[in-house]
Amino acid sequence: MAPGNVAGYVSTAHPFIMITVKVVNKGHQALPAYATEQSAGMDLRANIDAPVTLHPMERRLIGTGLHIALPEGYEAQIRPRSGLALKHGITVLNSPGTVDADYRGEVMVLLINLSADDFVINDGERIAQMVIARHEQACFETVEVLDTTERGEGGYGHTGVK
């Protein structure tokens, strides 16, 4: 049985704990599942009534039919599929998109076509991947100065390309 389908599955090769995510599937696609034992992401499928054509530089929200309830302290990251990006110039515009633990609406994918050609999205097509990740929250402490570091204010390419 695939590890993505077993709550509490612990791998013997690389131990991890499988968390439980509650889901309401209002679509007609199968639930996302891990393709291999060590996959980080699960493919999300388009849940659409008719094909959607993405013209060059056009962006569209594509539904998945999925509504999820993540445990507190977790997020779902919506990321591009590498094959769609490489072969067709299709990517997730706000990558990674974040689904917060308290969001209960449909998981949507904001796709953009960065190629020069139209791209047709069909029902059931794998359009993105979803990674479940733990996160922390922070509180800000106002100070007058920050500690000094070797890097300082160097940013955006300050270390060069070689």
Side-chain angles (χ1 to χ4, degrees), residues 62-112:
I62 306 296
T64 65
L66 302 174
H67 298 249
I68 60 176
L70 294 159
E72 187 175 334
Y74 285 85
E75 66 167 324
Q77 299 174 357
I78 310 303
R79 301 180 181 187
R81 293 194 65 241
S82 58
L84 284 179
L86 175 65
K87 296 174 187 173
H88 304 286
I90 304 300
T91 192
V92 175
L93 187 56
N94 60 325
S95 182
T98 295
V99 179
D100 294 309
D102 58 351
Y103 175 69
R104 296 296 180 266
E106 182 179 8
V107 174
M108 305 286 283
V109 179
L110 180 55
L111 292 179
I112 187 167

Side-chain angles (χ1 to χ4, degrees), residues 2-5 18 32-43 130-132:
N5 299 325
M18 184 77 65
Y34 295 102
T36 69
E37 184 176 318
Q38 295 182 32
S39 293
M42 300 171 270
D43 287 333
M130 179 171 63
V131 174
I132 307 298

Side-chain angles (χ1 to χ4, degrees), residues 43-63:
D43 287 333
L44 293 175
R45 295 181 180 273
N47 190 71
I48 51 181
D49 295 328
V52 173
T53 300
L54 268 181
H55 303 291
M57 297 308 296
E58 183 180 11
R59 61 188 181 268
R60 296 279 285 277
L61 270 176
I62 306 296

